[in-house]
Amino acid sequence: MSQAIFRRPLAAVLALTLGLGALPAYADLGSVRGVLAERMRAKKIPFSPSSVRETLIQGLYRWEQGAGVGQLYVNDAVTLILVTDGNKIVEWTQPVRDPQPISEAEKNSLLSEMLRGIRFDRLIKFEQGKGQAGNQVLLISAFDCPYCVKFERMLANAGDKVDATVYVLPSTLQPKDNAHASTVRNIWCAKQNAEVWRNTLLKSPGGYFNLPSGSCDLGVEAARDVQLIVASMGLGGGYPQMLFGNGTTSTAAQELPVFQDQLRKNPGRVFWDEPKPQRYAQFRAAGGNTAASGGAAAAAGISSSGGTTTIRFNPLSGLLKKLGTPAAAEGASPAPEDAAK
């Protein structure tokens, strides 16, 4: 395992530029980019709208900070900034006046709800069996992982012996290698991506040939977004990993009888069948989080009048001391070790 070095993002700058107005529930990408662009422009800070992208998690956006800097995640209302080191979340920042503490229990709850907000329509989908069990499984896999290849072969040969809908989040053991990253994108963006994924793993694992070229916005970065949330919850890492329908995670079994037993012990799809949460998307914005009601909302600087919600922003507070001034942010600090491959 290698160690990555990340510069601290210029998070202190956020305290000067964000949070003057909350967005309506489930804003789109253009709205979020517009708010960030306006606040950054007001302070004459360079900003590229293309650095903000949708993630596979509804209501959460990735804000890339450049090479060697852990990316940020921004919610719909731009009331919550998740600062990362590229592997997991290291800071929870609320760009509001007098932000209220977020307990560890609340953080875990919000992260869990982010996983519930995964956009399954964008993943690689396999239907196995007769669909009677109603099992829904998220598989975090890598095309060049020997254990993933073994699992895929087992799954392909199982037929109706496995009754589940399996959604694949594809990645690679070497995401920084251009050829490996391109392979993930080409598989994922292929028109028949399920067929291409399985053929790649079963027939030519590790190869980069005869793959249809993709032009969509999916790839190792999109996979990393979900993996980062999983890692931040302490749910393990490596490949192949599964998130089952009851919300538990486990390394995917390599043998059919063991995998069948995993499905029996972790059945269904109730984890995703529950209503998709809005708490993280409208975190402590009016109506978006019960924790922000009453006195808590007032303390957070939230006010509503005539259907308009205003979030007053704390210019600096303790954020500069906590995250460093822009000048200090240029220094390097070691990040935790990369997730086990």
Side-chain angles (χ1 to χ4, degrees):
M1 291 186 293
S2 62
Q3 274 203 332
I5 302 297
F6 289 94
R7 287 181 292 135
R8 298 287 268 181
L10 301 183
V13 168
L14 300 176
L16 294 170
T17 57
L18 303 180
L20 292 180
L23 297 174
Y26 294 119
D28 59 21
L29 175 61
S31 297
V32 174
R33 284 175 169 175
V35 168
L36 293 173
E38 177 185 353
R39 307 313 175 208
M40 301 296 271
R41 183 170 57 247
K43 293 297 177 181
K44 297 182 174 57
I45 298 171
F47 173 75
S48 171
S50 64
S51 66
V52 180
R53 301 288 185 91
E54 287 184 331
T55 71
L56 291 173
I57 298 170
Q58 185 177 218
L60 193 69
Y61 303 84
R62 180 194 330 118
W63 185 3
E64 293 288 353
Q65 299 295 293
V69 183
Q71 69 275 13
L72 306 177
Y73 292 94
V74 184
N75 69 340
D76 255 347
V78 196
T79 56
L80 181 65
I81 310 293
L82 304 180
V83 184
T84 82
D85 60 10
N87 297 314
K88 63 182 180 181
I89 298 167
V90 294
E91 299 283 353
W92 293 63
T93 298
Q94 304 166 67
V96 296
R97 182 177 64 83
D98 300 326
Q100 300 302 294
I102 309 174
S103 69
E104 291 303 313
E106 187 176 12
K107 291 176 183 178
N108 287 333
S109 176
L110 291 170
L111 292 172
S112 178
E113 290 176 349
M114 289 174 192
L115 291 183
R116 290 190 178 107
I118 290 175
R119 300 172 61 186
F120 282 94
D121 61 308
R122 307 211 71 191
L123 302 183
I124 297 175
K125 179 181 179 181
F126 289 96
E127 293 275 13
Q128 296 223 193
K130 300 178 181 179
Q132 296 176 347
N135 289 318
Q136 184 170 326
V137 180
L138 173 66
L139 170 65
I140 301 174
S141 190
F143 77 89
D144 50 357
C145 156
Y147 294 105
C148 300
V149 172
K150 185 177 179 180
F151 176 81
E152 203 67 43
R153 286 174 177 161
M154 178 271 289
L155 199 61
N157 293 328
D160 287 349
K161 295 178 182 178
V162 169
D163 195 351
T165 302
V166 179
Y167 291 90
V168 180
L169 182 76
S171 192
T172 169
L173 298 183
Q174 302 180 55
K176 295 181 181 180
D177 180 271
N178 289 334
H180 287 73
S182 294
T183 296
V184 173
R185 183 179 62 253
N186 291 340
I187 292 173
W188 206 343
C189 294
K191 192 171 184 179
Q192 303 293 333
N193 56 15
E195 179 182 349
V196 174
W197 167 263
R198 185 153 283 178
N199 286 341
T200 300
L201 269 70
L202 302 190
K203 298 179 180 179
S204 58
Y208 314 113
F209 41 85
N210 298 326
L211 288 172
S213 178
S215 59
C216 67
D217 59 351
L218 298 170
V220 292
E221 296 87 359
R224 178 185 60 184
D225 297 334
V226 176
Q227 290 173 288
L228 190 145
I229 299 299
V230 171
S232 297
M233 295 182 69
L235 295 179
Y239 304 98
Q241 186 178 9
M242 293 194 127
L243 180 59
F244 293 99
N246 64 351
T248 62
T249 58
S250 176
T251 300
Q254 304 296 300
E255 305 296 334
L256 179 58
V258 182
F259 178 59
Q260 290 173 318
D261 188 54
Q262 286 181 318
L263 287 176
R264 281 192 293 268
K265 292 178 178 178
N266 306 283
R269 51 177 295 154
V270 66
F271 182 76
W272 291 288
D273 275 347
E274 297 174 3
K276 285 191 167 48
Q278 300 182 30
R279 292 208 314 144
Y280 64 85
Q282 288 290 301
F283 182 72
R284 293 188 180 165
N289 188 337
T290 55
S293 62
I302 300 174
S303 61
S304 298
S305 177
T308 300
T309 299
T310 300
I311 300 183
R312 296 185 301 279
F313 193 71
N314 180 3
L316 285 176
S317 187
L319 204 56
L320 283 174
K321 292 182 179 179
K322 192 173 185 181
L323 298 177
T325 64
E330 295 298 326
S333 60
E337 291 184 343
D338 290 337
K341 302 296 190 292

